[in-house]
Amino acid sequence: GSLLLAVHFYSLPRAAPLIPSTALGVLLLILSSLLAYAGIRRSLRNASLFLSLCLTISVFWCGYGVVFILGGQGVLNDAGDFRNALVPGLVTFTLALLIIAVVGFLCREVILAMIAAAVSLASAHEVAMHYSTAFGSSAVACNYMIVCLAGGYFALGRILYFLTKEKFALPGTDLAKKKTREQIQSTSGSVNHFAVAGLILNMLSASVFGCRLLGVTGKLFIGQVPWLWAAGIYQIGICILSYRAMDVLMATFFGFTSILKFAGGYCLLYPIWQPEEPSFPTPFLVVFSVLFVVLALFLTLKSPVDGLYLLFYVAYCIALACRPKGFFEGGPQGVDVAIFVASALVTLIHLYNVKASAKIPTGKGAMKALLARSSFLKLREGADLHAPYLGYSKYADAEVLGYACSVLASFAVTMTGDPQAPLATVVIPWVVVAGGFLKLLGGSVAFARGKTLESSAFILYAVMWIIWGLTRYGGLYGTTRSFHAAVGIIAFMLFNGFIVLCSLFLNIAWFFYSLTFLLIAVSFLLDAIHALPAGYDIAATLIFGLVSFYCFLSALFNSIFEGSCLPMGRPIVQLSGVGGGMTKCPHLPARKASSVKRIADILKNGGTCGIPTDTVYVLVAACNRPDAVEKAHHSKRQAQDRPMSLWISSLKQLEPAKHLFSPLLWDFMEAAWPSPISLVVPRGGWVDFLGMKDSAKYVGTPQSIAIRIPDCSVTTHLIDLVGPIVVTSANPTGEADTTHHNQVYAKLGDKVDAVLCDGPSPENIASTVVDCTKIDGGNIGFFRVGIIPKSQVKLIFILFLLP
């Protein structure tokens, strides 16, 4: 990328640039996406400075490339427009990359610091070039050549590092240094490495409007939209990555600020559809400022510096609410200047504290010590801080953002659209971005955490907000009411009616949340058929907004504090096995050895657990706990023709009873296992070695028992810890096999003590069951043909046992 820019600026004095602007812009967009991918992939290995540098240059080249494309397509008419479009971004990245360079030099990341410093100097020279002819483009090109040399050295070092299998690395190119204690702590989710990039994006959007106030740029126009929307798109990405970093509060904050960035870009597009600058809905911005205040209070408990930083956005929303033309007036632009400075300072603090051993104090310890004295409020801490509702999830809970978006969208639509000038008031960004895109994000994360009902509701409501927002406030609706729109709204209402019914089994707050959205849908329907009573839509949106605000506060309290300061309530309808055992039945990720050990402890203490295997999920109990074997038998209403089977991790566990098996059968077991093949063997005295006592009658039949060694490392490790286990399918008799950990609890309810979660089953077919009761006579049969076909089993029998 730097080589392209170096060539471009060296050839700039020519009449025709060597690389056309459009082609250069497209190439920069491609390279920016690759840079973002490289930074995010590397972030998983704890290279925070490399991550910040990659994401910063990525968003720089993304906005830069789009500006070049606009110039190449004639949207920017002259050199003045090109300068007004470029300078806000160049100013931002000059300072942002300088901060990264300073921290890099202080923390001895020399190569990365040199790259950041060179791009920063190139941006500074380009700004000077646009305002003074004394500065030629060659200085910019020289800085980019320095980036090429430093980047080439860094790339060579990384190539040698991988080719030599991590035995050799050029100085300054080894990103896998020994982790300090602070870095190890940061990988557990206590530090959000993506926050630096998010703060730089806040600098970028503030720079666009701040430069206009300070006279650095001459006007606000379409040429600056690329910076704002690039910042908004990347900010949503940072929001998602912050959830991945288990930082709910900063993720919510970045979601909020992305809305402002999209709204700012939308406002600069106004000359396309109207001559006058758009006006802003006051109620929405007041509510937005309230949400920022609440979020700032909670964030202050984690980091007072970050909480104070959010107050600038409270002032920003108030300034926008006080001025009818919003972004275009001096008051909000003055706050933008303050946000730019504050964002730069907080960026420096965050980046330095992540990299350096000596920290800049932010007040975290003081707030933690203060709350430790409180008997009423206690911060959530520990390994279960972000435990998912069901199963394993890599993301923190996004319900806080989902409820907040409902509040924002509902208060935004309190503005009555003018059919003659639907775009004169800024409503679309608030409804479509907040109520639509960010709510879709919240629904997706909720689904990943096992919250199927909540995710379905968020996604449904997001689609509704997007369609209705664009239709009513985008000029697509007009004065004519449409029968087709009414039919679509009725379809949404029917789906939401199903969600209302399901929410009866969830909690009281969700029941009212879904029910009040039904009032919103009714107002949409009445508006579509031109029968909306005066004030009904305002009342419906206010009620829904207030319910959503309570849910927002409740989700915030429950994510930060222990206990239920603002409870969501109990289910209105309580059914046996539905929700009742949610607190009793832990869902543990199979990827963690500690989870397998915890499941083993539960089994040793007489519990029954659902676990993953090489086929489908099964319900297991320890053989040496007769009470657990009997419990497993009764928990799923076991039929007599579907007896439970026995699993071991190796034949060594049957070694004491080897003399009780025929040599041919023993050899066949050695040849067939581990695999998804269950062998039905004659019942005998060897069963007494397993310690099942009277509960042995529940395993197998009076004549035989099915045994298997599963071809699954998690399962065999668990059996190594517990000993032989009794196994049955994790579903009531007669139902389909269980192929996901969420289905285990859904089918067996609180009759299971724990679930070891590993997502979808690798196979949807059960094991093959082979009859070996007559193997000494040279015959085998099949009770069930599963994942292993008959031909393969017979081939094993022939090749290994009958040469």
Side-chain angles (χ1 to χ4, degrees), residues 295-339:
L295 191 62
L297 290 175
F298 280 91
L299 195 57
T300 300
L301 300 177
K302 295 284 188 179
S303 172
V305 169
D306 292 336
L308 292 173
Y309 172 64
L310 259 67
L311 294 181
F312 285 93
Y313 279 91
V314 176
Y316 191 46
C317 292
I318 294 173
L320 289 172
C322 293
R323 310 301 299 178
K325 297 302 180 182
F327 296 113
F328 298 94
E329 302 207 32
Q333 291 173 5
V335 181
D336 271 310
V337 175
I339 289 175

Side-chain angles (χ1 to χ4, degrees), residues 133-216:
T133 55
F135 290 89
S137 59
S138 298
V140 182
C142 286
N143 284 299
Y144 281 119
M145 286 304 300
I146 295 174
V147 177
C148 292
L149 295 174
Y153 174 83
F154 187 83
L156 177 61
R158 298 304 297 166
I159 292 171
L160 291 174
Y161 182 77
F162 287 110
L163 289 179
T164 59
K165 297 182 179 180
E166 304 183 0
K167 295 179 180 178
F168 175 77
L170 294 176
T173 63
D174 184 7
L175 295 179
K177 295 178 179 178
K178 186 178 179 181
K179 296 181 181 179
T180 63
R181 181 172 179 270
E182 291 78 13
Q183 288 172 320
I184 292 172
Q185 289 176 343
S186 69
T187 59
S188 65
S190 60
V191 174
N192 183 0
H193 295 287
F194 304 99
V196 171
L199 295 168
I200 291 173
L201 294 173
N202 290 342
M203 292 172 59
L204 178 58
S205 58
S207 175
V208 171
F209 299 105
C211 285
R212 175 66 189 93
L213 178 69
L214 299 176
V216 178

Side-chain angles (χ1 to χ4, degrees), residues 643-661:
M644 293 191 291
S645 59
L646 174 69
W647 283 12
I648 56 178
S649 59
S650 74
L651 282 174
K652 291 181 179 179
Q653 292 179 328
L654 294 179
E655 195 75 36
K658 182 179 178 180
H659 62 282
L660 299 176
F661 293 88

Side-chain angles (χ1 to χ4, degrees), residues 526-547:
L526 294 175
D527 191 21
I529 62 176
H530 202 32
L532 182 66
Y536 174 82
D537 56 339
I538 304 296
T541 52
L542 287 176
I543 293 172
F544 178 69
L546 292 174
V547 173

Side-chain angles (χ1 to χ4, degrees), residues 328-582:
F328 298 94
E329 302 207 32
Q333 291 173 5
V335 181
D336 271 310
V337 175
I339 289 175
F340 182 87
V341 176
S343 299
L345 292 174
V346 178
T347 298
L348 177 61
I349 293 172
H350 271 264
L351 189 58
Y352 184 81
N353 284 351
V354 168
K355 290 298 298 180
S357 55
K359 309 295 184 184
I360 299 175
T362 59
K364 288 184 179 180
M367 294 304 300
K368 188 175 180 180
L370 183 63
L371 286 172
R373 300 178 181 179
S374 172
S375 58
F376 178 67
L377 297 175
K378 186 177 180 182
L379 287 175
R380 284 185 180 271
E381 294 179 316
D384 296 330
L385 177 61
H386 300 287
Y389 181 78
L390 287 176
Y392 178 77
S393 176
K394 296 179 180 179
Y395 298 89
D397 206 331
E399 280 196 355
V400 174
L401 182 60
Y403 294 131
C405 289
S406 294
V407 176
L408 295 174
S410 61
F411 279 94
V413 297
T414 56
M415 289 296 298
T416 304
D418 183 0
Q420 305 302 323
L423 302 176
T425 303
V426 180
V427 177
I428 288 181
W430 315 129
V431 177
V432 173
V433 178
F437 297 140
L438 291 180
K439 209 165 182 66
L440 281 174
L441 166 62
S444 301
V445 174
F447 183 79
R449 292 178 61 81
K451 296 189 173 184
T452 308
L453 176 62
E454 294 91 325
S455 66
S456 300
F458 281 155
I459 292 171
L460 172 70
Y461 298 168
V463 173
M464 191 67 178
W465 286 122
I466 292 173
I467 294 175
W468 188 252
L470 292 175
T471 302
R472 186 177 185 184
Y473 298 99
L476 305 178
Y477 202 36
T479 56
T480 305
R481 301 302 188 257
S482 170
F483 170 76
H484 303 288
V487 172
I489 294 169
I490 290 173
F492 273 103
M493 291 174 64
L494 291 175
F495 194 179
N496 190 62
F498 174 72
I499 291 176
V500 172
L501 178 63
C502 293
S503 65
L504 291 170
F505 306 97
L506 188 58
N507 56 56
I508 295 173
W510 254 96
F511 172 74
F512 283 106
Y513 179 71
S514 56
L515 183 64
T516 51
F517 187 82
L518 197 59
L519 300 178
I520 299 261
V522 169
S523 73
F524 293 166
L525 176 62
L526 294 175
D527 191 21
I529 62 176
H530 202 32
L532 182 66
Y536 174 82
D537 56 339
I538 304 296
T541 52
L542 287 176
I543 293 172
F544 178 69
L546 292 174
V547 173
S548 300
F549 185 70
Y550 176 84
C551 293
F552 166 73
L553 291 177
S554 178
L556 263 181
F557 267 101
N558 292 333
S559 66
I560 301 300
F561 298 111
E562 295 182 359
S564 298
C565 301
L566 288 176
M568 297 288 281
R570 298 179 59 83
I572 297 175
V573 179
Q574 181 74 52
L575 294 180
S576 175
V578 179
M582 196 162 53

